[in-house]
Amino acid sequence: MDQFLPDQVQMTDAIVSVAFDKAWRFVEKDPLLAHNLKSVLHSRLRTFLESPIRKDERNALNLANEAIRSLRAELARSTEQ
């Protein structure tokens, strides 16, 4: 199990927070996503943002874009069923 120093944890939290803000500005206006429950979108977006952090991605814009792609793909799959 990886041990994070407090500074690393704070940096990771800050990156996720910035990425969430960037992604949310897009998500809340995206016609394919905005009709979903806000609480569901928040939760899934947060999950997608935290996952790549474990893979050492530190670019907030890349994180935001990947989270949006993942969210759109997940919701598209759920509407196809």
Side-chain angles (χ1 to χ4, degrees), residues 3-79:
Q3 294 294 320
F4 286 98
L5 299 173
D7 289 345
Q8 289 172 315
V9 171
Q10 287 179 336
M11 183 179 73
T12 299
D13 290 346
I15 292 168
V16 169
S17 181
V18 168
F20 183 91
D21 290 343
K22 287 179 180 296
W24 186 252
R25 285 190 295 257
F26 176 84
V27 167
E28 68 182 345
K29 294 176 184 164
D30 184 325
L32 298 175
L33 299 174
H35 69 278
N36 292 279
L37 288 174
K38 189 174 182 177
S39 61
V40 171
L41 292 173
H42 266 257
S43 174
R44 297 306 299 147
L45 189 58
R46 177 68 61 182
T47 299
F48 288 127
L49 284 168
E50 290 173 347
S51 181
I53 282 289
R54 294 183 192 106
K55 298 175 191 165
D56 296 327
E57 175 63 70
R58 296 292 185 252
N59 182 298
L61 185 57
N62 288 346
L63 284 170
N65 288 336
E66 185 59 35
I68 292 164
R69 278 191 289 276
S70 297
L71 185 60
R72 287 178 126 204
E74 179 181 87
L75 293 174
R77 284 190 303 270
S78 69
T79 59

